[in-house]
C-alpha cells in the first residue's frame, strides 16, 4: 500500500487511484441534484413560492445518480454480495459460484436494458414540469444497463481468465480492489 506525504498509509475508502473519467459523470449529476434540491428548499421555505419543476427534475436526477452509480459499482465489483456461502465452500465451488453469479448478473443487465429500450420506444408522454419527452429518462436508464452489461462482460472474462475474484480468494484482494 502506498503512503502519503506524512508517511501514513491511506484507508481503503480514501484511495482515489481507481477513479476514472466516467466516474465524473455521477459526480456532476449528484451535485446537480444537490443544487436542485437546495433550490427547491430555498424557494419553498425561504421565499414561500416553490418552483414547480424542481421536484420532478430532482426525481429524475436521483434516478440518474442511482443508475450511473450502478455502472460504476459493476466496474469496481462493489455491489453487495452474500459472502457467508463462499466461506464454507471449497475453492473450486467458490469459483464456479462466482462465474454463475456473474452470468446471472450479466443476463439481468442485458435483459433489463432490452426491456428499457422497449419502454423508451413506447413512451409518448411528456414530462409534467418541462417540455421534454419522458422517454429521455428511460433511454438514460437503458444506456446505464448497456454500460453495466459491457462491464459485466469484462468482469466475467477477468474472473474466468484469472480464476479468482474478491469472493473466491478474499485474502488476495484485502489490500487492493479490482480495477478496469
Amino acid at each position: 500500500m502506498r503512503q502519503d506525504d506524512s508517511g501514513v498509509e491511506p484507508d481503503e475508502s480514501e484511495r482515489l487511484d481507481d477513479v476514472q473519467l466516467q466516474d465524473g459523470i455521477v459526480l456532476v449529476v449528484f451535485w446537480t441534484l444537490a443544487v436542485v434540491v437546495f433550490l427547491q428548499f430555498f424557494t419553498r421555505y425561504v421565499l414561500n413560492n416553490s418552483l414547480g419543476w424542481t421536484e420532478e427534475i430532482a426525481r429524475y436526477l436521483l434516478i440518474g445518480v442511482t443508475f450511473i452509480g450502478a455502472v460504476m459499482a459493476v466496474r469496481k465489483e462493489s455491489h453487495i454480495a452474500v459472502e457467508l456461502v463462499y466461506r464454507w465452500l471449497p475453492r473450486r465451488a467458490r469459483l464456479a459460484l462466482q462465474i454463475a453469479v456473474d452470468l446471472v448478473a450479466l443476463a439481468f443487465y442485458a435483459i433489463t436494458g432490452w426491456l428499457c429500450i422497449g419502454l423508451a420506444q413506447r413512451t409518448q408522454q411528456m414530462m409534467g414540469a418541462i417540455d421534454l419527452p419522458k422517454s429521455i429518462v428511460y433511454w438514460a436508464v437503458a444506456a446505464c444497463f448497456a454500460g453495466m452489461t459491457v462491464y459485466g462482460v469484462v468482469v466475467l472474462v477477468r474472473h474466468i481468465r484469472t480464476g479468482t475474484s474478491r469472493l473466491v480468494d478474499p485474502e488476495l484482494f484485502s489490500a487492493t480492489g479490482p480495477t478496469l
Side-chain angles (χ1 to χ4, degrees):
M1 170 105 8
R2 291 180 297 179
Q3 296 180 351
D4 62 9
D5 293 338
S6 66
V8 178
E9 292 183 7
D11 184 10
E12 183 73 22
S13 63
E14 297 173 354
R15 290 181 45 234
L16 296 176
D17 58 347
D18 64 343
V19 175
Q20 294 187 4
L21 182 61
Q22 64 263 29
D23 298 337
I25 297 170
V26 74
L27 188 65
V28 168
V29 174
F30 172 79
W31 281 108
T32 304
L33 171 63
V35 168
V36 168
V37 169
F38 176 77
L39 185 62
Q40 180 182 22
F41 171 83
F42 183 78
T43 58
R44 178 175 290 165
Y45 296 110
V46 176
L47 301 179
N48 288 327
N49 188 10
S50 183
L51 293 173
W53 57 268
T54 54
E55 183 178 348
E56 185 177 16
I57 298 305
R59 183 180 320 123
Y60 297 142
L61 289 171
L62 183 60
I63 291 168
V65 166
T66 302
F67 284 99
I68 297 167
V71 174
M72 188 168 54
V74 172
R75 178 179 61 81
K76 293 178 148 193
E77 297 181 52
S78 61
H79 272 118
I80 61 171
V82 179
E83 298 177 13
L84 181 66
V85 175
Y86 286 89
R87 293 179 188 213
W88 301 106
L89 293 174
R91 189 182 185 291
R92 289 186 69 149
R94 289 192 311 251
L95 180 60
L97 182 59
Q98 178 68 68
I99 300 301
V101 167
D102 289 345
L103 288 169
V104 169
L106 184 59
F108 174 78
Y109 303 145
I111 291 168
T112 309
W114 182 259
L115 293 172
C116 279
I117 289 171
L119 184 60
Q121 289 173 337
R122 288 190 308 273
T123 300
Q124 303 299 320
Q125 186 178 8
M126 299 297 279
M127 293 181 188
I130 58 176
D131 195 29
L132 289 173
K134 238 184 209 180
S135 63
I136 291 172
V137 176
Y138 299 124
W139 282 114
V141 171
C144 289
F145 274 113
M148 286 186 260
T149 303
V150 169
Y151 282 127
V153 168
V154 171
V155 167
L156 174 64
V157 168
R158 180 188 319 121
H159 289 166
I160 291 172
R161 191 181 69 229
T162 63
T164 190
S165 75
R166 109 183 136 75
L167 293 174
V168 174
D169 296 313
E171 63 280 352
L172 295 176
F173 292 88
S174 61
T176 61
T179 59
L180 294 178

